[in-house]
Amino acid sequence: MSLQPDRPPPELIFVNESPAHAAQVEALLNRAFGPGRFAKVSERVREFADFAPELSFCALEAGKVVGVVRMWRISVGNQPVVFLGPLAVEETERRHGLGAQLVERACAATEAAGEPAVLLVGDLPYFQRVRFAIAPEVTLPGPVDARRVLARSFGDLALSGPVRAR
């Protein structure tokens, strides 16, 4: 059941994440994932990865952050790639495809920057629609269901090896 059935899709502005968004982004991530987000293997990756704000985006509605996707520079084996996550959208905005829009925007910026691939940990049914597939040869720094390790390559690249800092 929709909370606001007659509401049109929001009027959004997409901008690169900046320090000015930090408090709103953290609040959104806390609402979306709760404190358990810090125990996930993706957080282990972010601990050593380099944040890429020029590849990360916020969706703003009337100046308020209603969605965010963060990107991080890592390597898989010896191959430099970008790690996507977290991706979060306000619950009231989820039915409009905002998450997929954020992923597509971040992937387009990543490809335009000359990066060869994006890696993430997530649900295949959701991310498959934005061209991600299981990356069976990639290992993360902690336990994770291998069916949730997904990649999107911008060429003929098959990722293989451990995830580590660049």
Side-chain angles (χ1 to χ4, degrees):
M1 176 186 203
S2 177
L3 298 176
Q4 299 171 346
D6 297 326
R7 183 170 180 242
E11 293 293 325
L12 299 174
I13 298 170
F14 293 90
V15 298
N16 287 105
E17 184 178 342
S18 74
H21 302 117
Q24 288 188 58
V25 167
E26 282 305 309
L28 172 57
L29 294 174
N30 286 336
R31 285 189 299 278
F33 299 108
R37 72 185 170 111
F38 296 108
K40 296 182 177 191
V41 71
S42 294
E43 191 64 27
R44 303 295 72 78
V45 173
R46 290 187 285 273
E47 287 172 352
F48 62 72
D50 292 325
F51 181 55
E54 73 282 7
L55 306 178
S56 302
F57 291 90
C58 291
L60 306 177
E61 181 181 20
K64 179 183 177 216
V65 174
V66 295
V68 65
V69 61
R70 287 182 162 174
M71 305 294 272
W72 308 80
R73 288 188 173 80
I74 61 167
S75 289
V76 173
N78 293 322
Q79 177 65 58
V81 300
V82 175
F83 187 74
L84 185 153
L87 166 67
V89 174
E90 287 289 1
E91 188 173 355
T92 57
E93 307 306 325
R94 291 184 188 159
R95 68 191 174 281
H96 302 298
L98 179 52
Q101 290 178 55
L102 284 162
V103 170
E104 288 288 10
R105 187 172 293 265
C107 286
T110 299
E111 183 177 18
E115 298 285 355
V118 175
L119 182 76
L120 62 81
V121 177
D123 295 322
L124 183 60
Y126 181 86
F127 287 99
Q128 193 170 32
R129 64 189 172 135
V130 286
R131 296 171 293 204
F132 280 82
I134 295 171
E137 303 299 317
V138 175
T139 56
L140 280 97
V144 64
D145 181 345
R147 296 170 297 185
R148 293 178 50 78
V149 180
L150 309 176
R152 176 174 167 179
S153 176
F154 303 119
D156 232 6
L157 181 65
L159 297 177
S160 180
V163 171
R164 56 183 181 211
R166 282 201 186 177

